[in-house]
């Protein structure tokens, strides 16, 4: 059975890891928050308290706050994950980070003979809990194919966006579209109020 190391058990990561446990995968859970680790362990995961304990995993999934954190645990730390990983291990970074950092991780993975995907998600905590996230995946077709059984547990909309870094590019562009749409809606409701149109009636029309 494919062994998964899951690093980053926050509001999104914890339910994602729990879903993988429920699906039958052996999941090594790691976070600096020991309570979060224990919560996943209580559901059947394997509690780990150092990066070294994650060695030997087939797939490594990171769900962290920014590119600096992902690079720290994957390539910069003394016990960096990519340094300890076996050849052909797969790295899936589900964090929402900058494209440059994502491509650095891909380059490091290739140099070590590893597979990698930048795989930011959308769908929020509810999507993470229900396993109905949208995943945007940049990286090789070989990495994408190897990740399929895991991705299908995490999300219901899985899109291979193309080359290294394009998953993060898709997330950034999607966020821009959402932001612009929200601004437009806010302006429309403000204009409606000035023109004497009730917010409810505008809602009914739109």
């Amino acid at each position: 059975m494919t062994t998964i190391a899951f690093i980053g058990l926050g509001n999104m990561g914890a339910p994602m890891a729990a879903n993988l446990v429920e699906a039958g995968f052996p999941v090594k859970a790691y976070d600096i928050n020991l309570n979060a680790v224990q919560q996943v362990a209580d559901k059947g995961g394997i509690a780990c308290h150092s990066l070294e304990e994650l060695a030997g995993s087939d797939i490594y999934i990171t769900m962290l706050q920014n590119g600096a954190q992902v690079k720290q645990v994957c390539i910069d730390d003394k016990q960096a994950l990519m340094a300890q990983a076996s050849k052909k291990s797969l790295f899936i970074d589900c964090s929402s980070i900058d494209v440059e950092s994502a491509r650095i991780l891909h380059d490091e993975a290739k140099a070590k003979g590893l597979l990698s995907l930048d795989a930011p998600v959308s769908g929020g905590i509810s999507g993470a809990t229900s396993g109905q996230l949208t995943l945007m995946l940049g990286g090789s077709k070989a990495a994408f194919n190897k990740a399929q059984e895991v991705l299908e547990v995490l999300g219901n909309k899985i899109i291979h966006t193309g080359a290294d870094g394009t998953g993060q590019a898709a997330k950034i562009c999607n966020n821009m579209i959402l932001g612009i749409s929200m601004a437009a809606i806010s302006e429309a409701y403000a204009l409606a109020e000035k023109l004497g149109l009730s917010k409810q009636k505008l809602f009914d029309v739109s």
Side-chain angles (χ1 to χ4, degrees):
M1 190 65 172
T2 301
T3 300
I4 300 170
F6 204 108
I7 303 93
L9 305 172
N11 291 332
M12 295 288 289
M16 290 168 68
N19 284 339
L20 291 168
V21 171
E22 186 176 348
F25 290 100
V27 176
K28 297 180 180 180
Y30 175 79
D31 195 285
I32 58 173
N33 182 339
L34 299 183
N35 289 332
V37 173
Q38 189 57 51
Q39 287 174 12
V40 175
D42 290 342
K43 295 178 180 179
I46 304 164
C48 294
H49 301 105
S50 71
L51 295 180
E52 292 175 305
E53 293 180 63
L54 304 174
S57 301
D58 300 300
I59 297 177
Y60 295 79
I61 300 176
T62 45
M63 187 55 149
L64 300 168
Q65 294 179 338
N66 53 54
Q69 289 182 355
V70 179
K71 287 188 290 185
Q72 180 181 354
V73 301
C74 289
I75 61 178
D76 295 339
D77 193 276
K78 291 181 180 179
Q79 292 83 37
L81 298 176
M82 288 189 181
Q84 57 162 277
S86 304
K87 296 290 185 182
K88 298 302 179 182
S89 293
L90 170 63
F91 279 75
I92 305 174
D93 179 37
C94 291
S95 319
S96 291
I97 64 174
D98 59 286
V99 174
E100 181 181 358
S101 292
R103 288 177 174 158
I104 289 172
L105 291 164
H106 280 290
D107 289 343
E108 186 72 14
K110 288 177 183 176
K112 295 185 179 300
L114 307 171
L115 296 171
S116 58
L117 292 166
D118 55 290
V121 305
S122 66
I125 296 173
S126 61
T129 302
S130 64
Q132 295 184 319
L133 292 168
T134 295
L135 294 102
M136 297 151 270
L137 300 122
S140 69
K141 189 66 174 178
F144 179 74
N145 290 340
K146 185 172 182 176
Q148 278 295 316
E149 62 175 349
V150 170
L151 301 176
E152 289 170 1
V153 173
L154 301 178
N156 62 345
K157 191 173 183 180
I158 302 166
I159 303 166
H160 187 203
T161 53
D164 299 352
T166 59
Q168 296 296 347
K171 180 65 183 287
I172 291 169
C173 293
N174 189 55
N175 283 353
M176 178 181 288
I177 292 169
L178 292 174
I180 292 170
S181 298
M182 291 174 65
I185 291 170
S186 297
E187 289 297 327
Y189 276 90
L191 178 60
E193 185 174 9
K194 289 180 181 179
L195 297 176
L197 174 64
S198 76
K199 294 178 181 178
Q200 183 59 52
K201 293 302 180 183
L202 178 57
F203 179 81
D204 293 340
V205 169
S206 58

